[in-house]
Amino acid sequence: MSGGDQSLIAALFGAVGVATLAITCWAGTGRRVGGGRRGSSEEFFAGGRLFSPLENGFAIAGDHMSAASFLGVSGLVALYGYDGMLYAVGFLAAWLVVLFFVAEPVRNCGRFTLADVLVARLRERPVRIALGASSVTVSVLYLVAQLVGAGSVVALLLGDPGGAAYTWTVLGVGGLMVCYVACGGMRATTWIQIVKAVLLLGGAFTLSVLVLLRFGGDLADLLTSAAEHSGRGADFLSPGLQYGRGGWAAKFDFVSLGLALLLGTAGLPHILARFSTVPTARAARRSVVWSTVLIGGFYLMALVLGIGAAALVGTDAVRRSSPAGNTAVPLLSFELGGGAGTTGGAVLFALVAAVTFATVLAVVAGVTLAASAAVAHDLYESSAGRRRQGKAGRLQALKRGTDRRARGQKPEGGQGGQGGQSSQGGQDDRSEVAVARRAALVVGALAVGLSLPARELNVAFLVGLAFAVAASAHLPVLLYALFRRRFTTRGAVRAVYGGLLSSMVLVALSPVVSGAPRALFPGVDFACFPLENPGIVSIPFGFLCGWLGTLRSRERPDEGRYAETEVRSLTGAGAV
């Protein structure tokens, strides 16, 4: 691209960065509306629970429509045709699981994190440690996918796909996402996601219309042209280019990926956290309905963009630009704008890249916030020093209240002895938020460090791995806690660790890490697990670990606490 085109791209990227920072400053310093204290954990992690179902629906859609969706799914469709469409179908169908089984119970039983749902009926410390560790792992995997997508697009735009542009982009996005979380919390993250969702839907709609206009609105002509320019002929529109052929391993990989995509959404920490930002369970359910409509429309457009890239750009050209297909949509936008050397092509290319950049910034902010919440609210809360501090504070508050009642005085704050506890609670809130801010820095640094050597991996595939880990470690324990009466703490801990460790070990021993040309370490070969996605093994293993852990536990299930949890999950009685 020419120097003027690159200047336009830099200006648009700068405008996106300034706009998101302005939203962060507004959210961090604006006047608080409604109840709650500024600087409290409820304000930082849940935005005061003041968002409407429509606002939260757009934010959930913005959280879910990531760089993997916009770049990776369309790229896989451009490269593999029918098989690439599996990602879009899986991502969309997953929202039915969230709508019917997760959204309302999690809002009724939870507070900020997944662990809050379980501690209502199980022992707190081991559950928080296990789920805190697994939530951070899933979040980091998801962050890597977004940072790889951002680096790939910017490197392509600057004409430096193998140089330093990728590295500097990853470092810049990492710094911005830490700033969003540390300064603005959930309010800033939510509004950034809403703005990003509007921009992304508008950009995808514009490109889809341009693709259809190029073929006169004839879908049959579009599909025929895509098959012709794919180099695969009719096979492009049939199953088997990526999955289903080549032996039993390919067929099982196909099923494994489908399971991970279908079940993983219900276990993603940053998606579950969004249900705590609305005031009621009904609002949470309506949020999912809104997000399902928005996400469904987006994935239909992603399919059009992938097929359009194959038809207009050509599968071989997409593969030459990016072996993983991550640059299919940017190349398509260039073609739709008039091609190389045209002002229209450069402008449309730059606008798509700016929207993609905004997409990445919004998603990484939400994921980083979820990871920092897991560290501060689960891991830090479970530390030995934190427990001693909390116990000492409660004993001091109780003693102050007893002394004041013995003297015939009203308790502090005039709230039946809750004044001392409120003071301690305010200190706890400030300490928890401070830990969350520091945790955001650590999580951001870890994600950036892992993203740098993973630049050649397809971002949709990386997200598929995150979904597999979430489905293996989180979904079993969540469903057991909500719907199984005889479920114990040991069963919960073993389900989390069993699903987490099995999925991570199987990925480490798969062709994704070694033994393949596009592996993370192609020069070595220690792969002994034949599947790229471990979901077909690790998800049932997580459920099995939860069942066996409960069966072999000496702990007697507290059916009274289960009954309370059941009533609360179904009715919302006692919900925060």
Side-chain angles (χ1 to χ4, degrees):
M1 300 184 70
S2 66
D5 295 335
Q6 293 184 352
S7 299
L8 175 61
I9 294 169
L12 289 174
F13 279 7
V16 171
V18 170
T20 52
L21 288 174
I23 292 173
T24 302
C25 293
W26 167 77
T29 61
R31 181 179 296 276
R32 177 73 169 86
V33 180
R37 300 184 307 277
R38 174 158 297 285
S40 67
S41 57
E42 183 178 19
E43 172 73 13
F44 186 83
F45 294 127
R49 309 185 196 279
L50 296 174
F51 292 100
S52 69
L54 179 60
E55 292 170 341
N56 198 44
F58 267 91
I60 291 175
D63 229 343
H64 190 71
M65 297 183 305
S66 61
S69 304
F70 192 46
L71 302 178
V73 172
S74 299
L76 287 175
V77 173
L79 294 180
Y80 303 109
Y82 183 95
D83 283 6
M85 299 178 189
L86 173 66
Y87 280 90
V89 175
F91 284 141
L92 180 57
W95 285 101
L96 298 178
V97 179
V98 177
L99 177 62
F100 290 116
F101 296 104
V102 173
E104 188 170 352
V106 167
R107 175 60 189 86
N108 286 336
C109 296
R111 190 172 176 226
F112 303 133
T113 64
L114 175 60
D116 292 331
V117 179
L118 276 72
V119 298
R121 57 173 301 203
L122 303 175
R123 286 190 290 121
E124 183 170 2
R125 185 168 185 264
V127 169
R128 287 199 182 277
I129 292 176
L131 284 171
S134 63
S135 296
V136 171
T137 301
V138 173
S139 298
V140 169
L141 286 174
Y142 207 86
L143 283 173
V144 170
Q146 311 311 314
L147 294 175
V148 169
S152 299
V153 171
V154 175
L156 174 67
L157 287 171
L158 299 180
D160 189 24
Y166 176 89
T167 301
W168 285 110
T169 300
V170 170
L171 293 174
V173 172
L176 285 173
M177 73 185 186
V178 172
C179 178
Y180 298 150
V181 173
C183 300
M186 180 58 84
R187 289 189 73 206
T189 299
T190 300
W191 282 110
I192 290 173
Q193 288 163 345
I194 292 172
V195 172
K196 165 255 179 153
V198 174
L199 292 175
L200 184 57
L201 288 168
F205 178 77
T206 301
L207 289 179
S208 299
V209 170
L210 291 176
V211 169
L212 294 175
L213 288 176
R214 183 69 67 92
F215 292 90
D218 190 342
L219 291 176
D221 189 19
L222 171 62
L223 293 172
T224 301
S225 179
E228 292 175 353
H229 291 85
S230 68
R232 302 282 187 163
D235 289 342
F236 183 77
L237 303 177
S238 303
L241 285 185
Q242 187 177 19
Y243 303 105
R245 296 179 184 174
W248 65 270
K251 295 180 174 64
F252 276 99
D253 223 353
F254 182 86
V255 177
S256 185
L257 175 62
L259 284 174
L261 297 180
L262 180 64
L263 302 178
T265 302
L268 292 175
H270 63 287
I271 296 297
L272 296 176
R274 293 241 52 94
F275 301 136
S276 66
T277 63
V278 290
T280 64
R282 182 171 181 266
R285 188 170 61 251
R286 292 175 60 194
S287 298
V288 177
V289 174
W290 274 111
S291 63
T292 302
V293 173
L294 296 172
I295 292 170
F298 171 77
Y299 280 119
L300 288 176
M301 292 184 287
L303 297 181
V304 173
L305 297 181
I307 296 171
L312 298 176
V313 179
T315 298
D316 290 339
V318 172
R319 186 175 285 110
R320 285 195 301 270
S321 174
S322 171
N326 295 333
T327 58
V329 173
L331 291 176
L332 174 64
S333 65
F334 218 147
E335 180 66 27
L336 291 173
T342 65
T343 302
V347 170
L348 190 58
F349 191 34
L351 288 174
V352 169
V355 170
T356 305
F357 191 61
T359 297
V360 173
L361 294 180
V363 173
V364 297
V367 179
T368 305
L369 180 60
S372 64
V375 172
H377 191 63
D378 294 334
L379 298 178
Y380 175 67
E381 283 281 345
S382 302
S383 64
R386 182 80 168 96
R387 293 200 319 278
R388 287 195 295 269
Q389 175 188 358
K391 183 176 180 181
R394 287 191 294 270
L395 290 176
Q396 292 176 5
L398 179 62
K399 184 177 184 300
R400 285 196 300 268
T402 303
D403 292 343
R404 293 180 69 85
R405 282 192 294 270
R407 294 194 299 267
Q409 300 175 358
K410 292 182 178 181
E412 295 178 9
Q415 297 294 331
Q418 298 298 318
Q421 295 181 18
S422 297
S423 175
Q424 181 68 28
Q427 295 174 7
D428 291 348
D429 272 354
R430 288 190 291 272
S431 178
E432 191 173 300
V433 172
V435 171
R437 291 190 169 107
R438 292 193 291 270
L441 178 61
V442 175
V443 169
L446 179 60
V448 168
L450 293 175
S451 300
L452 295 178
R455 61 189 303 167
E456 294 300 329
L457 294 180
N458 183 276
V459 289
F461 171 75
L462 290 171
V463 169
L465 293 182
F467 273 58
V469 177
S472 305
H474 295 168
L475 187 63
V477 72
L478 180 60
L479 295 182
Y480 276 142
L482 291 174
F483 303 112
R484 191 182 181 195
R485 184 179 300 273
R486 300 185 61 81
F487 188 54
T488 63
T489 302
R490 175 179 286 188
V493 171
R494 291 195 175 181
V496 173
Y497 286 135
L500 175 65
L501 294 177
S502 64
S503 56
M504 296 300 294
V505 169
L506 291 177
V507 169
L509 298 177
S510 73
V512 176
V513 177
S514 68
R518 290 177 52 199
L520 192 59
F521 303 108
V524 295
D525 186 2
F526 49 84
C528 56
F529 181 68
L531 306 184
E532 293 187 350
N533 193 293
I536 195 172
V537 176
S538 59
I539 295 173
F541 187 73
F543 279 98
L544 179 63
C545 287
W547 179 74
L548 290 176
T550 297
L551 189 66
R552 298 178 60 85
S553 176
R554 296 180 180 179
E555 175 187 356
R556 178 173 298 179
D558 191 336
E559 297 197 7
R561 293 180 69 180
Y562 170 76
E564 293 177 3
T565 302
E566 185 178 34
V567 171
R568 181 174 172 179
S569 67
L570 295 176
T571 67
V576 178

